[in-house]
Amino acid sequence: MERKIRILLAKPGLDGHDRGIKVIASAFRDAGFEVIYTGLRQTPEMIVEAAIQEDVDAIGMSILSGAHMTLFPRVLQLLREKGADHVLLLGGGIIPKEDVEKLEKMGVGKLFTPGTTTTEAIEYLKKAVSERRKEEKIL
Amino acid sequence: MLSQTTKKKIADQKEKWEKEKEKGKRLTDRKFISVSGESVKELYTPLDIEDFDYNRDLGFPGEYPYTRGIRKNMYRGRLWTMRQFSGMGTPRQTNQRYHFLLDRGQTGLSVAFDLPTLMGWDSDQPLSVGEVGICGVAIDSLEDMEILFDGISLDKISTSMTINAPASILLAMYIAVGEKQGVPSEKLTGTVQNDILKEYIAQKEWIFPPEPHMRLITDLIAFCTQHVPKWNTISISGYHIREAGSTAVQELAFTLADGFAYVEAAMKAGLDVDDFAPRLSHFFNSHLDFFEEVAKYRAARRIWARHMREKYKAKKPESWLLRFHTQTAGCSLTSQQPENNIVRTAYEALAAVMGGTQSLHTNSMDETYALPSEKAVQIALRTQQLIAHETGVANTIDPLAGSYYVEALTNKMEQEAEKYFDEIERRGGVLKCIEEGYFQREIAEAAYRYQKQVENKERIVVGINDFILEDEKVEIPILKIDPEVEKEQVRNLKKVREKRDNDKVKRSLENLKKVVQGKENTMPALLECVRCYTTEGEICDVLREVFGEYTEPPLI
C-alpha cells in the first residue's frame, strides 16, 4: 500500500495570522493526509530541519505579512543545501500575482491565494506528490 | 409587552398566513443562514419580542442601558471619527500618507506598525529580515515617531495606535513627541490597543506571558489615569477574533469577556472602577450580514452597561458606556473582481453607522493583495463621507430600533453571549480558557465550518463560488514596498545609536530592569528610556529577560 501523504504545515516569520493554515490543516486531515503543524514563528532553518526529521513529502507555508519574497527563497535554498530538494514546497497567503510567478519560477510549487478552495489544494497535492514519487522510483 | 388579546390576534393571523403561504410555495434548496451560520426566520412579528419593554430594553440615547447609542444627540452632535488604519515603509513615507488622508478630510489618525515593531524587535535584529516596513511602518526609536508625526499637532488630532505587546513603549514615545511639540500629556487624545488577551486568542502578536503582561497593562492604566486622562487605555478588540473566523456571537462574547477580565485585573490592582472604566474603549468588526452586525453593536452596549453597573458596581455613567471603533471585515474581501470589495465595504460601513459606532475604518478594495494604494484608500475614505453626507442615515438616531427582527436578534445576541460568559467562568476564567486553547478551538472550528459552507455552496460568495469571471485580469494598481526601505531604516537606526548619549541609554535600561524586577509602575522608567532614544528592541530585550517569552502550543 502506498504510504499516506505527509505534509509539514508551517508559519514562518513574525506573522501571526493562522486562520488559513488551520483551515487547510483540518481539510488535509479530513482528506487522509498526515499533517504536522509547527505552530507560529518558525525560522526557515527550523522548518527545513523539521521537514527532514519528519520525512515529509511536502512543506506548506502560509504568509500573510508580505515577507514571502524573503522566506520562500530562503527555505528553497536550505532544502537544496541539505539535499532535501525532493521535498515539495508550496504555500499560500496574501501574495501579489507577479510575486507568485517569480516564486513559482524559482522552484516553489503552487501558491494558493485568497479564494482557493481546500479541494483545489488537496487535488494539487495528491497529483504533485504522486508525480514526485514516480520520478524518484525512476531515478 | 403584549396583552393576551393582541397576542392571540397576531398568532391567529400568523397561522392563517402560514397556511395560505404553503399553497404558493416555491421550492428552493437555499439555506437561510446568517454569515455566522445562524438560521434566520422568514418573518418576525411582535410575537418574537413578546416581553419587549421599551424603557428597560432600549431607553433613550445617552441613557442606560444605552442600546440606542451612547450620546444623547449621536451623529447630529458630531459625526463618527473617520480614521483609516495606515502605515507602511519608513516613518517619512507614512507621514506623507497621513497628510494625504488629512488633506482629504480624514478626522483621526490610526497607526499600523510593521511586524518587528509589533513584536518588539529593532529593524536590524535577525528576526526582522524581510519584514521591515512591509505590513506597517517601522518604528525603532523616538526619532522615528518624531518623523511620523511631523507637521501634525498632537493637541489637534486624536491618534489610535494598534500596538499590544509593546504598547507602553509606543505610548511613552507618543508622550515624548508631545513633550517636544510643547503639548502636555494631559492634552493628548487617542488610544493604544493594548489588548493582549485577544493576542493570545486570535491575533497572536504577543511577547510576554499573560501574567507579567497584565501588570504592564494595569501600570499603563494607573499612569494614564493620573497623567494622560483623555487617553483610551485599552481598545478591547473583537476585530481580530472575528477575522480569525469566529461568529458574530463569539466575537461579542469573547471580547466582552476580555473586557471584564481587564476590569477585574485593574480592580484587583487596587484601582477604583470609576477611575479607569470611562477610558476603556472597544473595537469591533463589521461583516457583511447587515442586521446581525447592527444587533451585535446594540447588544454590546446593553451588556456592557448592565455588567458595569450591576456586577462591578460602577457609579459613574461614563463607566457604563461602551464606546467603540469599527473596521470593516478584511476577511470578507475577495482577490477576485477586487472592485466588488468597494461595495462590500460600503454595506459593512453602513451597518457600523446604523449600529452607532464612534469611529470607523473602511477597508480598501486592494487589501487582499497588499497595503492600499492612494487611489484605493481615497475611495474607502470617500465611502464614509458618502454615508455621512449623502445617504441621510445619520439624520436620526438608531433608525432600526423597533424592528421586530432587529430587536429579536439583539435579544438573542445578548442571551447567547451570556451563555458564553457562564461557560468561560465554568472553565475557570479567561486566562484559563486561553491556556487550554478553548477560545482558539471555538474560533478555528467556526472558521472551518464557514469554509465548508462556501465550498458546498451553502453560501454564495460573488466571484468565488458563483458569478466567476474566467480569465479575469485584475486591473488595479498594487502598492509595493521597496526592499530599500529595510536598508534605509537600518542605516537610520545605526545613526541614532551613534549620535545619542549612550551612557544615558545604559543607565535608563539599568533603571528599567530594577523597576521591572520590583513593583513600581513601569511607565516612568519607560519614558526615561525613550526620551534618550533607547530603542524599542533594547527596551524589550530587558523586559524579555525579566518576564520571559510566551510560546503557544500548536493547536489544530
Side-chain angles (χ1 to χ4, degrees):
Chain A
M1 201 180 83
E2 199 170 12
R3 86 167 190 159
K4 280 187 179 176
I5 292 174
R6 267 171 85 75
I7 181 164
L8 182 83
L9 292 178
K11 282 290 296 179
L14 299 178
D15 179 28
H17 294 93
D18 59 2
R19 174 179 181 163
I21 203 156
K22 285 186 168 179
V23 164
I24 210 74
S26 301
F28 280 172
R29 274 196 187 156
D30 287 352
F33 303 164
E34 285 174 8
V35 178
I36 301 131
Y37 175 46
T38 61
L40 299 169
R41 314 263 138 73
Q42 304 291 305
T43 62
E45 287 76 8
M46 289 154 86
I47 292 166
V48 170
E49 190 56 42
I52 293 168
Q53 284 197 358
E54 295 283 352
D55 188 23
V56 294
D57 299 291
I59 302 172
M61 301 206 303
S62 161
I63 304 174
L64 287 84
S65 69
H68 48 269
M69 292 310 282
T70 308
L71 295 165
F72 277 106
R74 178 76 186 133
V75 170
L76 272 183
Q77 184 200 356
L78 286 168
L79 284 172
R80 285 192 193 117
E81 280 174 21
K82 306 251 173 188
D85 46 0
H86 58 279
V87 176
L88 171 68
L89 177 63
L90 64 146
I94 303 286
I95 307 174
K97 203 167 165 234
E98 50 173 291
D99 290 349
V100 168
E101 283 161 10
K102 275 187 209 156
L103 290 169
E104 289 181 351
K105 260 193 204 130
M106 284 181 207
V108 177
K110 215 167 160 50
L111 289 170
F112 297 99
T113 51
T116 309
T117 63
T118 56
T119 323
E120 271 172 76
I122 290 165
E123 291 310 315
Y124 165 77
L125 192 62
K126 278 185 187 161
K127 197 161 159 256
V129 169
S130 89
E131 274 165 16
R132 289 208 166 205
R133 283 181 182 171
K134 265 184 225 153
E135 275 170 32
E136 274 176 41
K137 272 181 203 155
I138 295 164
L139 292 172
Chain B
M1 267 177 251
L2 298 176
S3 71
Q4 284 306 319
T5 1
T6 320
K7 213 170 115 180
K8 175 128 194 350
K9 258 193 202 164
I10 299 171
D12 290 347
Q13 203 177 338
K14 185 163 178 249
E15 203 186 324
K16 193 169 148 248
W17 170 77
E18 270 170 352
K19 270 189 197 141
E20 282 172 14
K21 180 176 57 101
E22 289 302 308
K23 292 179 202 157
K25 196 177 177 186
R26 281 164 63 181
L27 288 175
T28 171
D29 52 3
R30 233 180 104 195
K31 271 200 178 174
F32 296 93
I33 51 171
S34 72
V35 163
S36 299
E38 296 288 335
S39 56
V40 178
K41 288 200 218 176
E42 65 190 324
L43 190 78
Y44 289 79
T45 70
L47 300 177
D48 292 291
I49 46 168
E50 268 184 52
D51 302 324
F52 182 72
D53 177 332
Y54 183 85
N55 290 301
R56 181 197 62 197
D57 300 339
L58 305 190
F60 280 79
E63 290 175 15
Y64 187 85
Y66 304 97
T67 314
R68 305 205 64 180
I70 57 156
R71 306 261 175 256
K72 287 208 159 55
N73 52 8
M74 284 303 287
Y75 302 138
R76 291 173 76 117
R78 193 169 76 90
L79 285 169
W80 64 91
T81 305
M82 298 179 190
R83 195 190 288 286
Q84 296 297 98
F85 181 48
S86 176
M88 78 278 196
T90 60
R92 181 61 63 196
Q93 287 168 329
T94 301
N95 176 262
Q96 283 161 1
R97 176 60 68 92
Y98 291 169
H99 284 287
F100 173 91
L101 288 165
L102 292 169
D103 288 347
R104 279 158 184 73
Q106 170 165 279
T107 52
L109 292 174
S110 172
V111 187
F113 297 101
D114 69 357
L115 273 166
T117 308
L118 294 173
M119 297 296 297
W121 301 109
D122 285 336
S123 297
D124 60 352
Q125 283 176 297
L127 286 169
S128 304
V129 175
E131 314 253 23
V132 176
I134 298 289
C135 73
V137 61
I139 300 291
D140 293 311
S141 74
L142 179 59
E143 187 177 275
D144 294 328
M145 283 292 262
E146 291 164 12
I147 298 169
L148 190 66
F149 295 102
D150 189 19
I152 298 168
S153 308
L154 300 194
D155 54 350
K156 302 231 160 49
I157 194 134
S158 67
T159 303
S160 170
M161 294 191 280
T162 296
I163 192 78
N164 293 280
S168 336
I169 303 166
L170 273 297
L171 173 61
M173 285 187 188
Y174 194 82
I175 294 170
V177 173
E179 287 168 357
K180 297 223 155 186
Q181 287 190 359
V183 180
S185 63
E186 286 76 12
K187 282 196 173 170
L188 297 175
T189 55
T191 309
V192 273
Q193 198 162 75
N194 197 27
D195 174 8
I196 202 68
L197 293 173
K198 69 90 177 52
E199 294 295 330
Y200 302 121
I201 294 172
Q203 181 73 357
K204 316 285 173 90
E205 265 113 38
W206 54 66
I207 304 177
F208 320 111
E211 298 247 338
H213 196 102
M214 289 302 269
R215 171 187 166 198
L216 288 177
I217 291 178
T218 48
D219 282 358
L220 186 148
I221 292 175
F223 182 84
C224 285
T225 306
Q226 285 194 334
H227 304 287
V228 207
K230 293 199 255 172
W231 198 264
N232 295 316
T233 51
I234 315 182
S235 171
I236 306 155
S237 307
Y239 186 79
H240 321 79
I241 292 174
R242 192 69 182 279
E243 289 290 298
S246 84
T247 65
V249 167
Q250 288 170 342
E251 178 196 357
L252 175 67
F254 298 169
T255 307
L256 296 188
D258 286 350
F260 300 140
Y262 292 122
V263 169
E264 287 167 24
M267 287 171 80
K268 211 173 136 193
L271 299 170
D272 184 311
V273 65
D274 282 315
D275 283 343
F276 68 85
R279 296 321 306 171
L280 299 177
S281 64
H282 288 77
F283 173 22
F284 291 109
N285 199 299
S286 189
H287 211 298
L288 275 164
D289 201 301
F290 186 80
F291 296 106
E292 193 169 64
E293 295 305 293
V294 173
K296 181 182 76 185
Y297 307 127
R298 299 175 85 244
R301 277 192 294 268
R302 193 157 75 197
I303 298 169
W304 187 257
R306 285 185 177 157
H307 281 249
M308 292 310 288
R309 194 171 87 165
E310 311 299 334
K311 186 167 177 194
Y312 300 108
K313 310 288 178 209
K315 293 201 174 57
K316 280 191 196 162
E318 300 84 57
S319 303
W320 308 333
L321 297 183
L322 180 138
R323 295 172 297 126
F324 71 103
H325 171 71
T326 309
Q327 178 169 340
T328 56
C331 63
S332 72
L333 305 185
T334 63
S335 301
Q336 294 72 10
Q337 305 172 47
E339 295 89 342
N340 297 346
N341 293 333
I342 299 172
V343 184
R344 291 191 176 96
T345 298
Y347 288 130
E348 293 166 352
L350 190 65
V353 170
M354 304 275 258
T357 194
Q358 274 59 62
S359 65
L360 180 60
H361 163 102
T362 30
N363 287 325
S364 300
M365 64 169 149
D366 51 358
E367 295 194 55
T368 65
Y369 290 97
L371 297 182
S373 68
E374 280 191 351
K375 174 97 184 163
V377 77
Q378 182 176 303
I379 296 171
L381 175 61
R382 293 288 181 254
T383 304
Q384 296 196 39
Q385 291 158 337
L386 270 157
I387 293 173
H389 302 290
E390 294 188 17
T391 64
V393 299
N395 288 343
T396 191
I397 302 169
D398 189 26
L400 293 172
S403 146
Y404 304 123
Y405 179 35
V406 171
E407 295 302 350
L409 207 51
T410 305
N411 292 344
K412 191 175 162 201
M413 287 266 170
E414 183 176 7
Q415 288 153 9
E416 298 287 320
E418 290 289 346
K419 275 188 215 159
Y420 264 122
F421 300 149
D422 291 344
E423 179 63 17
I424 292 162
E425 199 167 307
R426 198 185 64 77
R427 288 170 177 270
V430 168
L431 285 180
K432 191 92 182 137
C433 285
I434 288 170
E435 226 172 80
E436 288 174 359
Y438 169 68
F439 299 119
Q440 298 91 315
R441 259 195 325 275
E442 285 282 298
I443 296 168
E445 282 167 16
Y448 191 37
R449 250 190 336 262
Y450 181 90
Q451 179 65 25
K452 283 201 279 199
Q453 286 163 351
V454 173
E455 296 195 13
N456 301 336
K457 282 196 162 195
E458 282 175 70
R459 64 170 78 247
I460 298 299
V461 181
V462 173
I464 296 287
N465 59 4
D466 206 348
F467 314 106
I468 296 164
L469 287 181
E470 301 297 340
D471 305 319
E472 182 195 349
K473 277 199 185 68
V474 173
E475 280 163 356
I476 54 168
I478 302 294
L479 182 105
K480 283 228 90 157
I481 304 292
D482 192 332
E484 275 303 306
V485 161
E486 185 163 325
K487 290 179 199 148
E488 191 187 327
Q489 187 65 19
V490 169
R491 270 199 307 272
N492 288 343
L493 175 58
K494 197 163 167 256
K495 275 189 221 153
V496 168
R497 287 210 177 99
E498 279 163 12
K499 68 186 178 196
R500 66 187 184 181
D501 180 343
N502 278 301
D503 286 334
K504 237 177 165 177
V505 168
K506 199 168 156 248
R507 282 198 304 276
S508 77
L509 287 169
E510 283 163 2
N511 177 54
L512 176 69
K513 190 172 172 184
K514 197 180 83 216
V515 168
V516 173
Q517 283 168 333
K519 285 195 157 45
E520 235 178 285
N521 191 310
T522 41
M523 280 302 295
L526 289 169
L527 260 166
E528 188 199 327
C529 289
V530 302
R531 280 188 192 121
C532 61
Y533 298 87
T534 306
T535 65
E536 192 212 10
E538 291 161 345
I539 295 170
C540 284
D541 282 344
V542 169
L543 299 177
R544 275 185 277 258
E545 193 192 325
V546 180
F547 291 156
E549 288 179 72
Y550 180 73
T551 45
E552 180 192 55
L555 299 159
I556 45 168

